[in-house]
Amino acid sequence: DARVTQTPRHKVTEMGQEVTMRCQPILGHNTVFWYRQTMMQGLELLAYFRNRAPLDDSGMPKDRFSAEMPDATLATLKIQPSEPRDSAVYFCASGPTPLSGSYNEQFFGPGTRLTVL
Amino acid sequence: EDQVTQSPEALRLQEGESSSLNCSYTVSGLRGLFWYRQDPGKGPEFLFTLYSAGEEKEKERLKATLTKKESFLHITAPKPEDSATYLCAVQAAGTYKYIFGTGTRLKVLA
């Protein structure tokens, strides 16, 4: 049963600390997405990658957030320094390469619940 | 600007009471419309993709339909285990990005 995995599932940290979240996409998927979910804003796209290359990170606060894919089995989202307003659930999703003219469903991981005190 | 609006925000049904959830969208060239179910503390779970107006998809008690401006998720004879937040998303032509609605929180009472 192929699934997206994320670690850690929960993270509590103090303001100013660095936070790193990890995601293992489904094997064979080559598009990876990072989302943030809050009660007020719902699901917001932060960044997405295709074939490990960042295609769009316009949803991320550039001064403190960074996203990378060091290899095809690992995507990371880093916040440095963290702030209380970063408290949210962060989801990673992956999807297969869409064939020409078709579509790609996204499959979500369980999320990392981040609390910044 | 691409936009997705879901209604109602919350819905309470008695077990067996059928109803529909709405997803209205504006997008510059629809590539796909997606329905997800999200349980508390979990990630969204994929339900359906709809590609073109007039298309319908079914899964157990759920049926999704699509027009040029909106999609409906019909729930027939719901059970308490159908309680969840249902999310709608659209993907515009030429992009991998999804635009999500804020969801409908469904509660089915036994």
Side-chain angles (χ1 to χ4, degrees), chain A residues 12-99:
Chain A
V12 180
T13 191
E14 293 190 349
M15 183 174 62
Q17 297 298 305
E18 178 178 300
V19 175
T20 299
M21 291 169 270
R22 294 177 174 80
C23 166
Q24 182 173 12
I26 293 172
L27 187 65
H29 284 185
N30 72 339
T31 56
V32 174
F33 304 79
W34 283 105
Y35 290 89
R36 175 170 62 187
Q37 187 175 44
T38 61
M39 288 294 292
M40 295 299 295
Q41 299 294 331
L43 270 168
E44 301 174 276
L45 179 66
L46 298 175
Y48 70 99
F49 293 76
R50 184 183 180 196
N51 294 327
R52 297 175 52 201
L55 291 190
D56 188 339
D57 61 1
S58 59
M60 291 199 310
K62 296 290 190 305
D63 56 338
R64 299 184 300 109
F65 284 60
S66 61
E68 296 179 341
M69 280 201 72
D71 62 61
T73 63
L74 177 65
T76 62
L77 179 66
K78 188 176 295 186
I79 307 174
Q80 167 64 15
S82 58
E83 298 181 1
R85 59 179 167 152
D86 300 330
S87 297
V89 182
Y90 291 80
F91 288 105
C92 173
S94 72
T97 304
L99 300 174

Side-chain angles (χ1 to χ4, degrees), chain B residues 78-108:
Chain B
K79 298 182 178 182
E81 53 261 43
D82 295 321
S83 298
T85 295
Y86 290 86
L87 297 167
C88 169
V90 298
Q91 187 178 31
T95 177
Y96 291 99
K97 296 174 70 168
Y98 279 24
I99 307 297
F100 275 91
T102 52
T104 294
R105 296 188 310 277
L106 174 66
K107 178 73 172 177
V108 182

